[in-house]
Amino acid sequence: MKKQEPSKLVEFNNLPKDIIFDIFSRIPLKTLCQFRVVCKKWQFHLCRNPEFRVFYHKKHKINPILIFNQQNTENPSTQLSSYFIDGTRLSQISTNFAQPLVSIFTCNGILCLISKTNVFLYDPITKLLSNLPNSKRFKSTFSWAFGYSKFRNVFKLLHFYTIEKFDNFHYCPINEVICEILSKPISDLWVDSLEEWRNLGNCPYEFLGRKNYAFVDGKFYWLVRENKFNFHCIRVMSFHLETEIFGIVCFSRNFSDRSVECLDLVEIRDRLCMTDRLPGQSSMNIWMMVKEDDGFANLWVKKYEIDLNGIDHHDVRILGHFPRRNNDDDDDEGEILMKIGQSFGFYELENGVYREMTSEVNKQEWGLQLLLNRKSIL
Amino acid sequence: MASSSSSSLSRVVVKSSDNNLFVVNKKVASQSQLLKQCIDNMEEKGTNDVILIPLSNVTSNILTLVLEYCEKHADFADDDNNNQELKQWDHEFLKKFDYATLNSLTMAADYMVTKSLLNLCCQFIADSIKDLTVQQIRQIFDIKNDFTPQEEADIKNENAWAFR
């Protein structure tokens, strides 16, 4: 080793911030989390420094993760396998809950696992698991939604359940949908805490279609019908996570006469989008809501026309959108993850290229979730 | 040392922070964007004089190393086929230094805008520390543990998953 005169040499902690960031961002995430304990300066950069976070995520382009899940039919266990999007294996767990899982949702890198009686949060990288409080109403569950409010740094879980009532006006029994909500602050994500389910009252509109939601910029969106007894009146209902208020989004006349089976809501490039595809057609239109200002109507613009190249499977769905890997161009349109029947594939929005997921990752008959925004760890 | 061709310089003189002078061939100097920019500016003005570029942040020890790197890479600048050989050389080159020297070299590469060297150093440092324990990190970088035992235990607890 060549020894230089020590006094003139630079100590690591005195290197310019940019160089320290550059070196840190080349180290695996798990190791970085160990390094938090080296000294206060390192802890600051690796835990709290927003500049380093931005640097890290820009460099790593919020590495998306694929979560496959499969229900074991013999016993009530669920297999979860996770992969980085290039097909590298990440982890595999087999959950062993008393009840099989019925739904899995993702938000900000956290999974929300739902069985008939319990709700769990799970992080596939750290493998931490926490049990959320139960609600007496789980038995009559109707639907769920899982999101993150960035203003207060809380995850929020919406639970819709039904109660039967008698409609005196129409003189028939009807199901009413009630909504309750649970907040889980990110600070005590992995400890059992005392939060309780809060009742938000009646859901003001009636769900349509698959009841699945899109989560965009702090709001949930569902396809609903405004008037219970008018079947041709499709609307989009919103729920603002911060204010906890339901609303209705202006809806283009272009789809209001559509059958709800043709429509689906997804998030693409931080915007609410509506996919529109007639059964048996091999193309799909994606409309994007480009403006939502108070007092102004939202504008739905036909943004993409996806050519499925002769694939006319009845079940074509968009599972999620993510920025393209290894691409420094910020304007890049990115890719969408699609499910066509039982198989999965990626579609590049810019040049319209579709490619199937590689065979070893493409798990037939498994469910698939796209996990994005792993910003809760770093 | 005057320029041989009419309006382009062939050499520059670089001055280290401890006032040592280095005569550097233009092709070698061009490996550093900072030096290249200085040369380009002078050439635009049509100067034929030899220019002196002072580097107030780089000691002569470190500057010698940066220039050694630049010289090697200037030799290889025109052919891509020898990439493997060059990579081997890069690795052997960095292997010789202790961490304090590496840090200074990294900083000089940043200051002189020698991107490939900066990249190389950062990757080298990252690779060599990523498998070390916290204790070893403190040792090689001479970092004082400024946590109380309780604080340290708390952080380890919060990040227990990473230590498994």
Side-chain angles (χ1 to χ4, degrees):
Chain A
M1 286 221 169
K2 283 184 190 172
K3 269 278 175 200
Q4 306 285 334
E5 214 181 312
S7 62
K8 286 181 183 163
L9 292 169
V10 187
E11 283 180 26
F12 185 88
N13 277 355
N14 293 334
L15 284 172
K17 208 172 48 187
D18 289 348
I19 295 181
I20 293 186
F21 286 2
D22 196 343
I23 293 170
F24 279 165
S25 64
R26 294 162 193 261
I27 292 174
L29 191 59
K30 187 171 173 176
T31 312
L32 281 187
C33 288
Q34 293 177 12
F35 285 177
R36 286 172 171 171
V37 74
V38 167
C39 67
K40 284 185 174 158
K41 184 163 184 173
W42 286 38
Q43 188 212 17
F44 171 69
H45 286 319
L46 298 175
C47 281
R48 290 197 293 272
N49 191 347
E51 280 177 79
F52 179 64
R53 275 186 187 207
V54 171
F55 188 95
Y56 185 88
H57 289 292
K58 201 170 163 65
K59 184 150 176 161
H60 292 269
K61 283 276 180 189
I62 23 171
N63 213 343
I65 293 166
L66 303 168
I67 307 281
F68 290 89
N69 60 286
Q70 192 187 41
Q71 200 71 56
N72 195 327
T73 42
E74 278 116 58
N75 56 49
S77 75
T78 301
Q79 299 271 339
L80 291 178
S81 304
S82 47
Y83 295 83
F84 285 116
I85 211 132
D86 60 4
T88 322
R89 182 68 159 277
L90 184 64
S91 71
Q92 182 164 28
I93 64 154
S94 171
T95 61
N96 232 336
F97 306 125
Q99 296 266 358
L101 296 184
V102 287
S103 301
I104 298 179
F105 301 106
T106 73
C107 183
N108 274 23
I110 301 293
L111 288 171
C112 181
L113 311 173
I114 294 170
S115 77
K116 278 202 172 119
T117 52
N118 291 80
V119 181
F120 307 90
L121 296 184
Y122 176 66
D123 184 325
I125 287 201
T126 63
K127 298 194 177 176
L128 291 171
L129 186 80
S130 79
N131 203 339
L132 295 186
N134 290 359
S135 152
K136 280 175 283 185
R137 305 294 186 170
F138 280 0
K139 276 191 297 258
S140 38
T141 293
F142 177 78
S143 187
W144 300 88
F146 178 56
Y148 182 72
S149 166
K150 61 184 174 197
F151 300 104
R152 286 176 205 196
N153 293 319
V154 289
F155 284 94
K156 289 192 178 183
L157 184 60
L158 283 193
H159 173 230
F160 295 93
Y161 61 93
T162 51
I163 51 169
E164 202 166 275
K165 268 197 170 172
F166 195 80
D167 184 337
N168 287 322
F169 183 69
H170 292 96
Y171 211 72
C172 60
I174 52 159
N175 278 331
E176 225 160 54
V177 176
I178 317 276
C179 176
E180 55 184 2
I181 190 166
L182 184 79
S183 302
K184 186 78 176 172
I186 198 162
S187 51
D188 56 22
L189 210 51
W190 308 113
V191 292
D192 293 335
S193 43
L194 299 168
E195 297 90 14
E196 281 186 3
W197 289 93
R198 277 181 293 122
N199 195 318
L200 290 178
N202 277 23
C203 175
Y205 308 101
E206 194 180 335
F207 289 87
L208 285 178
R210 297 191 184 93
K211 295 183 291 192
N212 56 337
Y213 62 90
F215 180 64
V216 189
D217 194 24
K219 282 183 179 178
F220 294 123
Y221 297 93
W222 301 263
L223 287 171
V224 295
R225 146 167 88 208
E226 198 166 12
N227 182 335
K228 278 196 171 72
F229 299 97
N230 181 356
F231 284 82
H232 300 291
C233 193
I234 301 173
R235 294 280 183 271
V236 174
M237 173 172 79
S238 68
F239 179 83
H240 194 275
L241 233 60
E242 184 65 17
T243 60
E244 301 185 354
I245 290 171
F246 286 99
I248 274 282
V249 172
C250 179
F251 197 54
S252 168
R253 282 179 202 285
N254 292 318
F255 336 101
S256 53
D257 59 342
R258 284 292 218 202
S259 154
V260 72
E261 279 71 37
C262 305
L263 304 174
D264 209 355
L265 294 173
V266 291
E267 179 264 336
I268 293 177
R269 304 186 72 196
D270 302 319
R271 303 270 185 195
L272 179 64
C273 290
M274 163 95 62
T275 64
D276 179 13
R277 174 172 176 259
L278 287 173
Q281 249 178 31
S282 80
S283 72
M284 181 188 241
N285 292 329
I286 298 182
W287 297 73
M288 186 179 267
M289 190 171 82
V290 290
K291 194 175 89 181
E292 195 197 342
D293 282 331
D294 291 329
F296 289 97
N298 304 309
L299 208 59
W300 289 88
V301 175
K302 188 159 140 189
K303 185 80 180 173
Y304 306 105
E305 189 168 338
I306 293 183
D307 183 7
L308 297 171
N309 265 327
I311 298 170
D312 58 356
H313 199 283
H314 67 279
D315 187 19
V316 175
R317 258 187 278 173
I318 295 180
L319 298 178
H321 167 265
F322 55 93
R324 208 132 48 118
R325 287 148 279 155
N326 312 324
N327 196 325
D328 287 332
D329 180 4
D330 282 337
D331 288 332
D332 186 71
E333 310 252 328
E335 294 177 50
I336 49 179
L337 173 62
M338 300 187 73
K339 178 176 189 282
I340 298 177
Q342 287 297 336
S343 61
F344 307 102
F346 303 104
Y347 183 91
E348 287 178 31
L349 287 172
E350 202 155 89
N351 38 31
V353 178
Y354 177 80
R355 61 177 201 287
E356 286 224 350
M357 205 179 279
T358 48
S359 56
E360 75 242 57
V361 193
N362 196 353
K363 299 195 164 180
Q364 298 271 332
E365 289 166 40
W366 286 56
L368 175 60
Q369 303 272 338
L370 184 65
L371 199 70
L372 289 170
N373 273 337
R374 302 217 31 81
K375 293 185 182 173
S376 56
I377 291 188
L378 199 75
Chain B
M1 277 199 301
S3 166
S4 51
S5 64
S6 57
S7 71
S8 78
L9 301 158
S10 66
R11 284 184 184 143
V12 287
V13 178
V14 181
K15 192 170 90 175
S16 68
S17 64
D18 43 355
N19 295 323
N20 285 324
L21 299 181
F22 295 77
V23 180
V24 186
N25 177 319
K26 181 180 152 187
K27 196 177 171 191
V28 173
S30 299
Q31 293 290 315
S32 149
Q33 287 299 315
L34 178 77
L35 300 185
K36 186 169 186 297
Q37 196 67 48
C38 293
I39 296 169
D40 288 351
N41 286 347
M42 293 311 282
E43 281 183 348
E44 239 168 61
K45 286 181 190 159
T47 321
N48 276 343
D49 304 338
V50 171
I51 55 166
L52 177 76
I53 305 170
L55 298 174
S56 56
N57 278 353
V58 187
T59 62
S60 43
N61 288 337
I62 297 299
L63 186 55
T64 314
L65 301 179
V66 177
L67 293 177
E68 187 184 340
Y69 172 91
C70 291
E71 224 164 87
K72 188 74 185 177
H73 278 249
D75 284 349
F76 282 80
D78 300 326
D79 54 47
D80 296 332
N81 297 337
N82 282 308
N83 249 337
Q84 210 48 48
E85 189 190 331
L86 193 60
K87 269 184 191 156
Q88 185 64 30
W89 185 89
D90 284 347
H91 190 75
E92 297 295 325
F93 176 65
L94 291 188
K95 238 171 57 181
K96 293 181 294 200
F97 310 125
D98 58 11
Y99 282 100
T101 310
L102 274 177
N103 294 340
S104 309
L105 186 61
T106 313
M107 208 160 137
D110 184 47
Y111 176 68
M112 292 170 72
V113 202
T114 310
K115 272 204 167 156
S116 60
L117 180 60
L118 177 63
N119 207 18
L120 185 70
C121 288
C122 287
Q123 192 61 49
F124 189 87
I125 297 175
D127 285 344
S128 51
I129 66 174
K130 71 176 184 222
D131 295 322
L132 300 183
T133 63
V134 169
Q135 201 49 257
Q136 288 168 321
I137 295 277
R138 287 181 189 139
Q139 210 166 14
I140 62 158
F141 286 141
D142 198 17
I143 295 173
K144 198 175 158 291
N145 177 8
D146 49 5
F147 292 114
T148 65
Q150 184 57 44
E151 283 171 332
E152 186 170 344
D154 286 347
I155 300 168
K156 275 194 175 161
N157 235 346
E158 281 164 27
N159 298 285
W161 69 276
F163 289 90
R164 277 200 292 267

